[in-house]
Amino acid sequence: KETAVAWVVDEALPFNSVEKKSFRRIIAILDPSAPNLTDANIQEEVAFNVQICKKAVERELKGHFFSLTTDH
């Protein structure tokens, strides 16, 4: 599951890419025992990873002053 999530995120693919027949055929060939993933599975995993990263960044920045800008 983690590898599929990384692939979807790295390639900026829609979460439902894991529900496409072509993706499922590839997975079935590589690992017939692999569970079918859904876009909901991918969304949950991404949301979980976002929270972990957010907390890690908050810990790193705690007690430090910083500024973010959007100008170039």
Side-chain angles (χ1 to χ4, degrees), residues 24-67:
R24 291 194 174 178
R25 279 194 305 262
I26 290 170
I27 297 304
I29 290 169
L30 296 174
D31 184 0
S33 65
N36 280 336
L37 297 173
T38 65
D39 62 338
N41 297 132
I42 301 299
Q43 285 177 318
E44 289 170 10
E45 192 69 25
V46 168
F48 178 74
N49 289 330
V50 165
Q51 289 305 313
I52 290 173
C53 291
K54 181 180 174 184
K55 289 177 184 176
V57 169
E58 287 172 349
R59 277 194 306 272
E60 284 290 321
L61 296 177
K62 189 172 184 173
H64 298 281
F65 176 79
F66 68 96
S67 176

